Amino acid sequence: MLKLFRKPRPNYDALSKLRPPSLEGMDEILGINMRNALIAKYNPRHAIERARDKVAAKVALEAAGIACTGTVAVIDDHQKLGAFKPSRDMPDAWAIKPARGSQGDGILLAVRREGNTWYKGSGAPLTEEAVMHHIQKVVDGGFSGDSAAEDAALIEPLIIADPALSRIVPEGLPDLRVISLHHNPLMAMVRLPTLESDGKANLHQRAIGAGIDMETGRITRAVVKGTPITHHPDTGVNLIGFEIPGWERVLELAAKCGPAVGLGYCGADIVLDVNDGPLVIEVNAHPGIEIQNICQAGLKVRIAATGEDFR
């Protein structure tokens, strides 16, 4: 049986022996109904709501000693909005995120500043008025994706990617998704921005999804919208065999995220900062199952290896 995530880390050799040689054995695949059953079993409603709110999740993660991205400000009402002045209160490079946003909606990034004007990665200018307008739209719930009347704007310092990863992509910030059950990391991929994805690490916008070997931290397979590739289409860098920096630390962080937020089954999103190494940016209470197609491996058998009974 797979060992629970304690040092030493999970016995991935034992896990791999449980894995069928191909995906033709559909019992290996975790379907959407079974995923939903796991969520219903292990993810209580209050924990799901906490995970959906980036601010609340960050508070819980930091209370558990988990390294997260920094915080410049949280603007969650119009009084704070009125007292906020970007030219005074914001750094030269930053990210604005809706606390309850999803799929990258409402995220605004600035990579540099000249006077009271910031610039996107594309070179487009952002005036102080434009920044305030965006923050107000976030606070008014324009990107919340649900019935919430208001939201909070989470402003963070811009993460600068680890050089080993930044040389792979033309622009943007790669991130890692690690699926875990309790303290057990089960499957992982790295999402790599492309020019076609506008520098965003969103698979539905044609970023690259690359499966990672859990034992070595090396990329084993990469796809764009279901099409296998071996090299990044923009930089030409070979992806297969690339080793994720700080892989042991990534697994340690991922193993702690669910319990910290109160989730039993979750996806941890982690970035690799040039100075601080792996940092958690988000915890997802409803991680998708597409990662199995990217990795060409099934989650069900890995979950069963932890002792979970699917009967």
Side-chain angles (χ1 to χ4, degrees):
M1 180 181 296
L2 185 69
K3 299 175 183 176
L4 293 181
F5 193 85
R6 303 286 189 272
K7 290 188 176 181
R9 63 180 185 166
N11 185 350
Y12 293 114
D13 288 337
L15 185 149
S16 65
K17 293 175 183 176
L18 297 175
R19 190 181 309 149
S22 75
L23 291 183
E24 294 178 1
M26 292 304 292
D27 282 346
E28 184 190 10
I29 304 302
L30 183 75
I32 193 68
N33 291 338
M34 193 165 290
R35 185 212 67 162
N36 291 343
L38 279 172
I39 291 170
K41 183 176 181 180
Y42 291 120
N43 294 356
R45 173 54 54 183
H46 72 273
I48 291 174
E49 289 302 314
R50 184 182 297 129
R52 289 195 63 198
D53 186 322
K54 294 180 179 65
V55 175
K58 189 179 230 183
V59 169
L61 291 166
E62 290 179 339
I66 295 171
C68 299
T69 50
T71 301
V72 173
V74 176
I75 303 174
D76 54 8
D77 60 40
H78 285 83
Q79 183 176 354
K80 292 180 182 177
L81 181 66
F84 190 76
K85 186 173 178 59
S87 60
R88 179 193 65 209
D89 300 327
M90 296 181 76
D92 293 347
W94 43 257
I96 299 173
K97 303 176 182 179
R100 298 181 66 84
S102 62
Q103 294 187 329
D105 290 343
I107 294 178
L108 183 65
L109 307 176
V111 300
R112 63 185 178 90
R113 175 180 181 174
E114 294 181 8
N116 290 338
T117 301
W118 290 267
Y119 291 86
K120 299 181 181 181
S122 64
L126 290 166
T127 64
E128 187 167 27
E129 181 181 7
V131 173
M132 283 299 294
H133 177 75
H134 186 82
I135 295 173
Q136 180 170 346
K137 186 174 180 180
V138 171
V139 174
D140 288 341
F143 305 102
S144 65
D146 57 23
S147 59
E150 295 184 347
D151 201 349
L154 173 61
I155 305 174
E156 299 177 333
L158 188 70
I159 296 296
I160 306 300
D162 182 290
L165 277 175
S166 64
R167 73 177 183 84
I168 293 178
V169 300
E171 61 180 71
L173 180 66
D175 68 14
L176 297 150
R177 162 64 61 87
V178 184
I179 305 291
S180 298
L181 179 64
H182 307 307
H183 288 278
N184 298 284
L186 302 171
M187 189 172 288
M189 65 177 173
V190 59
R191 295 174 289 206
L192 302 168
T194 63
L195 292 177
E196 197 167 1
S197 73
D198 194 28
K200 297 179 180 178
N202 293 324
L203 300 184
H204 70 283
Q205 294 178 326
R206 299 190 69 83
I208 298 166
I212 302 172
D213 180 89
M214 297 297 286
E215 178 66 28
T216 65
R218 294 182 181 275
I219 291 176
T220 58
R221 186 173 184 267
V223 299
V224 177
K225 283 288 187 179
T227 301
I229 60 173
T230 57
H231 293 68
H232 194 290
D234 303 315
T235 63
V237 175
N238 181 31
L239 302 176
I240 308 305
F242 176 85
E243 185 174 350
I244 303 297
W247 183 240
E248 288 281 349
R249 181 61 177 156
V250 169
L251 292 180
E252 290 174 5
L253 288 179
K256 296 175 181 178
C257 284
V261 179
L263 300 171
Y265 183 71
C266 72
D269 292 342
I270 297 171
V271 293
L272 302 180
D273 180 72
V274 62
N275 296 314
D276 298 322
L279 300 171
V280 177
I281 56 171
E282 191 172 346
V283 181
N284 193 307
H286 297 83
I289 57 177
E290 175 63 18
I291 190 172
Q292 298 173 108
N293 290 329
I294 291 170
C295 293
Q296 286 288 281
L299 273 166
K300 184 178 177 182
V301 70
R302 300 189 182 198
I303 292 170
T306 70
E308 177 68 22
D309 189 351
F310 283 100
R311 292 177 296 177

